[in-house]
Structure formats: structure tokens, C-alpha cells
Amino acid sequence: MSLLHLAVLSPLLLALLIPFLHKHFRNIHTGWFLLPLPAVLFGYFLQFISVTRHGDTVMESLPWISSLGIDFSLKIDGLGLLFALLITGIGALVVLYSIYYLSPEKEKLNTFYIYLLLFMGAMLGVVLSDNLIVLYSFWELTSFSSFLLIGYWNHKERSRYGAQKSMLITVFGGLSMLGGILLLYIITGTFSISETIAMSNEVVNHPLFTATLILFLLGAFTKSAQFPFHIWLPDAMEAPTPVSAYLHSATMVKAGIYLVARMTPVFAHSGTWVWLVAGIGVITLFWGSFSAVKQTDLKAILAFSTVSQLGMIMSLLGIGAAALHYGTIKDGYYIVAVTAAVFHLINHATFKGSLFMVTGIIDHETGTRDIRKLGGLMNFMPITFTLAIIGTFSMAGVPPFNGFLSKEMFFTGMLRVAEMDIFSLETWGILFPVIAWSASVFTFLYSMIYVFKTFTGKYQPEKLEKKPHEAPIGMLVSPVILASLVIIFGIFPNVLSHNIISPAMGSILPSLLADGESFDVHISHWHGFSPELFMTLGVIVLGLLLFKTLSKWTGIYRIFPERLSLNHLYDGGLEMIEVASRNITKTYMNGFIRTYLVYIFSFLIFILATTMIYKDAFKLDFSNVAPIRFFEVVLVLIMAVSAITILFAKSRLTSIILLGAVGYTVALFFVIFRAPDLALTQLVIETVSVALFLLAFYHLPQIRRNEERIRFKLTNALISIGVGAIVTLIALSSHSNKMFDSISQYYVENTYKKAGGENMVNVILVDFRGFDTMFEITVLGIAALGIFAMIKLRMTRGKEQE
Amino acid sequence: MEILMAILIGILFMTATYLMLSKSLLRIIIGTGLLSHGAHLLLLTMGSLKRGAAPLLGEHAEAYVDPLPQALILTAIVISFGVTAFFLVLAYRAYQELGTDNMDRLRGKEGHE
């Protein structure tokens, strides 16, 4: 257990203490107890920069299930560290923000912070695990904790719907990924990510390669809300805003990005990977930004914007993977896409985090997030307005904010796709810059809608629940810090390039580096009058034009019918599954106990018979049998005849007497077979049983057998004969196949020595197998309690009738 | 003897199954009773029959019959008695409250799934 393990597990450990802290320090907001943890962890992870900037890694391993190759091994490299810093850094800011956002009087703070800590620990586990199974476990934990957080306001129907949707989609992806992990294990024989990367050549040439790749991508795409799985993200906005800011902008949705980046060295040598990641990414980019424009809820705009931005990072990673094919190029001509991806990942976390917090402030101070009701808030909330301007302009790609820099690099990366000559990119590659550019126009457009529809225009006080005013200072601290980072990274981007971006790229494209080398990243603002600059100018001009004429062309959103939307498909599919499974269940679960008994008995016959045939177990051996005496035959006959006569007995009394006859004959058999204790017990029990039967006899109705149809009887007879035959066969075979000596000799030898008793059966019961007897008494006790309760029970329905 | 017992056990299981598949609750209970008799004899038979004295050390015999199945059966007899008693009271009370012992009519209402 190293310090690193402790750091990863510390959120989970703190979660254990939260209920206690919440209960005993009622007057302190629970969030304050949380805040130090991510802050300290952030500091702790920062010191690793000095390690990773030289391309080194830290590896700590803790044996877990070593026999299966599953060890709790953690690895810090450039990529993992970048994510760990995001998780803890944004985590600290979000916790601070939530302290002012969630009121301790109204909300169940203890559960909220437990879920949040679970999530934080799970995320750290995902990004730092070097073992795929461990990674998967943490991955699913993020799905579960996200489910709990989205459904936090569980009194709201929409929250529950959103939580279920995200759960179903991400867990589906998670299971696919598990399949991928197992296939990968079949190929490589290891769960270690580092070892898998070292074997990437074998992986690519394996026949299972494509299946593995697709399963992994399903995991990544569902988590990162890529088209067509993006539908869960907008519904996840039902979560409290701090959650949205944390999970759905900065961390959880980026787990998919992380997975793609992490697995790039393994899969990137194939065209399928490049095309799928880049293609799906660019489609998501466009569809997200296009859909964001029509939203009226501020959080919905941000949700679709997040979908779109994730698509952008994804497509950049896909294109960056193609750079691996030009292994010798050191000038970073194609690698720029990966630089852009990593850089934008950081930028997106900063500006989107701050925008979510701004949305939370607007919601908190006005009571609505609907842009049709908002407007003219500029004068009431100047600081929030400034923050919103910084966030949206960065998102739109306007200088001097950091979004501009990564957007420029994004254009560069996209333009260079068209110059590639592999995987038929020379013909289709041109689509990438075209789609990317048009998506950017919509990105610009919704950014403008977000900020100007809210803060400028007409102030409509009659539509707002509260009189708007500036947020309390505590709520502003976190977004102000994020917005300052937006500006700092925008003006001095190179504080990041050597410390964070270059090591992260080293983890994504390790094969391009020789030992001791690192990527030389330098981000600059001015590239001369390049095509990228004109593309940005075009985006701004066209975007402003579309913004001005917004009301004239939004009709195109109504062309696409609601019936064909993915959400409709999801809802319909879910309902269909429910109905279908209910119908299928109904066909065999019909409520008749007889039907179930028929299933059980048929299955018994089937499974025993096939096993006997398959194992060739049937054997008949007459040599080793006990002698038969005349009166024994008589007893057998009595028993068989009584048992069979019960079937035809017309009256209850006859059946009960016959059952008694069978029981007493069993007792006689026990005498013959030298089991005196059994005989005594059987006699006593049989007497009591018959008495009980006779007692119930007065109260139960006459047996009516004429109700039963012939076919019914025939099935019963068939099954009964089957059961009887199979049991006889088993009894014969078990007698004839003696494969090993009985273990009973131990008891014969030790009964007196160890337990001091002479009656072996008694000693076994009360001594050797004493616990069995104790539980037997317990069972009898439970039965007695049940009987007592049933006799006392009087149904209310009966009382009303009286 | 074992062969004969095997056939007898088969008959017990057969009748028990048939009774358990019928609609009357009383017959089902009788069926479970027969089933446990069959199971006890099956256990005993599997441990071989009459291969020595009763498992009492006081007999000072050369060989004893297998004591282990006997211990198992002793437990089983008691348990099956508990089950039978429980069943009987259940049937009696169900009949008293609901006025029937026909399993088809004891299904519960539609929608109570």
C-alpha cells in the first residue's frame, strides 16, 4: 500500500466518515469537511509534474488477485496525471461552489457528498489504474455514482428518467468494454495496460482485433456521449448544477476521451480506429453544436455544447492516431491534432466548468434557466455577466482566450487531414475541415445565444420568480478562478505546454519518441495570414449574421420529425423491451403452482437422464446385494399397494390412513435395516403426523377428483412415471457404482475416542455434526412460529364481512 | 434387497409426484409426505443394507452398518415433520379464510404479480 494507493482510495475512505461528520456537526456545512481533500490531492499530484515532464513514470503495485493477473497497480504518466489534476482541481472548485449552492436546510447533504466522493475516487481510479480489470471496476463505479448524482433530486420524475437513461447507456458501454478487455486478454495474456501497449503489433494482426476495437470504442463513446449515444447527456442535466459542472463537463464524460487516448498506442495502427474515432467525433461535433442552437434551457445549451466539444476532442484524437503512420516525422506536422486535443481538453474543462457555474448562479438567483424568460440581467449581475462573456467567447474561439488557441490548432489539424494519403483519406479527408468549420459556426452561434439572450435584451421581471441580484461572493470564487485560468492559458499558453501537454502526448503517441525524447510543443497566437485565421474570421462573420437573422431560419429544426429522433427511439425501445419481457414472462409464469411443479419435475427428469446417458453412468450389479427374506417382500408389497391406493382413494380418511400405513411400514424397514434410532423417531413422528392430519381432516373439504380432465391426468401420470423411473435408475446405479470407500469408518473409529458415546448416530448428531442439529432445531422453531402466526392471523377482509 | 428397495423407492416417488401435481391441497400435502418417505429410504439404501450390526458400539460387532445415512435421515424426518405440520396449518387456514383448497382458485388476483 503506497501513498499513491492511499491518495486514490482517500475519497472513498472519507465517504465513510461523512455520515458521522454530518450528524455531529450539524451547524457546519458538510462541504467544508470535503474541501481540503481534493485541494490536498491536487497539491499532491502537482509534484509529479517534475517526474512526468522528463517522460518518466511512477508505478506502484499492490497484489490483489495475482493468480488471475489482476493487481491493483497504479501508474502515473503524463496522460494520467493530466486527468488526475483535472479531477482534483475542478473537484475542489466544485465542492467550494456547492457549499453555497446547496442549502444545508433543504438538501440531504450527507448523501450528496458521499456520492460525490465515490465519484471522485472512482475517477481517480480510472485514470491512474494500469490494470484493465481495475480500470473497469472503477469505470462502472463512475457510472453508478453518476446515476446516484443525476437522480439526487429523486422526487422529480425527470431526474429519475435522466438517471436511468444515463445508467442504461453507460453501463451498456461499460459491459461492452469488459468484453473488449477480455478479448484483449485472450490476445495478449495480460491485463496490464503497459504490457498490452508493448504488444500492440500482435494485437493488430490478431483475427479478434476488429471486435476488440469496436467493443472498446462502444465503452468510450457511450461514456463520452458520442453520437448516437449522446442522448443521455442532455437528460443528465437534471442533476444539481455543481454535479453537471463536475461530471458532465470536466470529468466523467472525459473518461471516454481518456480511454481512447490511453488505448491509442494499442489500436491506432488500424484504419478502422482512425476512421471510427475521427468520423464519429466529427459527426458528434456537428450534431451537438447544431442541436444546441435550438435549445431554450441554458443547461441544455451547455449539454449539447459539451456533446459537441467532446466530439471535437474525439475527432482530434482519431486524426492524431493517423500521425503514428508517419512515424519518422518529427516536426509535428500531423501531431498537431493530438496537441490540440490535449490542450482543448484542459481549455474545455476551464471554460465549460465556469459556464456551468454561471448557469447555476443564474438559476439560483432568478429561479429559471429558460432563455425565453431571461434577459437584461447585465445590470443586475455584472460579475456573472463578465464571467459568462469570458466563458462563451473562449468557447466560440475568439481571441485572446484559450479557446481561440485550441480552435486554431483544431483547424490546422483538420486541414492537414486532407493532405494525408492513407486509409482513403486523400479522397474523403476534405470532409473533415468542411464539417469542422460549419460546426464551429454553430458553436459560435450558440455561444452568442447563451450570453446575449440572458444578459442583454429586454428585462422581463414578471416572468421571474425572484428579483435577480448578484450572487454571494462564495459562489463566485470558483467560476472566477476558472475564468482567470481561461485568460491565463489564453495569454500564456506555454505554461502548460512543457509541463502538462507534452508529457500527456508522450503517453498517447509513445512509439514516436526515442528514449529521453519529448514532444516539443510550442503554442503561439500569431501564425501569419494562414487559412486557419481566415476560417476563424469566417466563423465570426457568418455566426454574427446567423445570430442576427435567428428568427428567420430556426424553422429548419421543425423539418426533422420528432418521431424519428433518437430520444423517441430510445423511449420506444425501452417500452418495447418492457412489454415484450412482460409478455414472455406471462407465458410461463401463469400463477398455477402445478405449472411450476411440472417445470421442476420435467427439468429434473431431463437433467438427470441426460447426465446419466452422457456420463454413461447406468450400471446394474447384482453381485453385491443383501439377501431378501419373505416377510420383507410382504412389507414391500404392503407399502407399494398402500402408496398406489392413495392415488385412487375417494375419501380423505382413506388417504390419511394409507399414508399412515406407509409411514409405519417405513418404521419397520428401519428396524430391519438396523436403524433403531430411526425406527423410534419414525414411529413417534408418524403418530403425531397422523394425529395432525386427522385434526385438519375435520376442516378441509372433501377431495373432489372429477374436476380433473383426462389430459391433465395423463400429463401428470407421464411426469410421475418419469420421476419414479429416474429415481429407481439412480438408486440402482448408485448401488452398483461404488467409486470410493464410505467416509463412515471415521465415525465408527472415533465415536468413543473423541466423543465418549457408544451410539454412533446420536454422537454424529449432537457432536460431530452438532451445528446441523442446532439449525434443524432452528428450522423447527421457525415452522412453529409460522404455524402460530397463521393461527393468529385473521384477514381484515374476513372481519369486514362479519 | 437393494434392487427391490430401488423399485419401491421409485414407486413412492411416482405416487408422490402424481399427488403433488393434483389440484387439491390435501393431496399435495400427502404427496410431500410420501416424497420424504421415499427420500429417506433412498438415503438408507445408498449406504448399503444389512452389512453389519446396528451402529451401537455396545454390540461389539465385527462390522456396523453405515451410521452416516442414519444421522442424515434422522434430521430429515424431523424437518419433514415440521414442513408437513406447517403445510397442514397453511391449508387449513387458507381454506378457512378463502373457502377453497383448490390450487387453481388460490392463484391470487390478476395484477398481484
Side-chain angles (χ1 to χ4, degrees), chain A residues 590 592 594 626-627 632 674 681-682 699 707 720 728 738 742 744 758 760 765 776 790 793-794 797, chain B residues 1-2 10 18 21 37 46 50-52 55 57 66 70 74-75 78 90 92-93 95 97 102 107:
Chain A
N590 61 1
F592 292 113
R594 176 182 171 267
E632 289 166 356
R674 287 155 211 176
T681 321
Q682 179 70 23
H699 303 285
E707 287 173 11
S720 316
T728 304
K738 291 279 184 249
S742 162
S744 307
E758 295 203 329
M760 294 175 209
L765 282 177
E776 176 195 345
M790 277 193 291
L793 171 90
R794 290 288 177 271
R797 191 179 56 86
Chain B
M1 192 69 221
E2 280 89 346
Y18 188 84
L21 286 175
H37 290 322
M46 281 183 172
K50 302 198 269 187
R51 296 281 150 62
L57 288 175
D66 201 336
Q70 297 196 13
L74 200 67
T75 311
V78 180
L90 183 68
Y92 158 65
R93 290 288 302 145
Y95 177 63
E97 291 288 336
N102 186 330
R107 271 179 79 192

Side-chain angles (χ1 to χ4, degrees), chain A residues 180-256:
Chain A
I181 291 172
L182 295 179
L183 286 185
L184 204 55
Y185 181 76
I186 294 173
I187 300 173
T188 62
T190 176
F191 285 122
S192 157
I193 297 175
S194 323
E195 287 170 30
T196 309
I197 289 173
M199 296 170 76
S200 64
N201 279 333
E202 277 118 285
V203 179
V204 175
N205 296 321
H206 200 275
L208 287 172
F209 173 73
T210 312
T212 315
L213 184 156
I214 288 172
L215 287 173
F216 262 98
L217 283 184
L218 273 177
F221 286 171
T222 48
K223 202 75 162 183
S224 281
Q226 297 296 293
F227 188 89
F229 305 112
H230 66 279
I231 50 171
W232 69 265
L233 190 57
D235 285 304
M237 291 299 132
E238 293 300 327
T241 301
V243 173
S244 310
Y246 191 33
L247 271 68
H248 306 128
S249 72
T251 53
M252 182 178 111
V253 289
K254 294 210 170 120

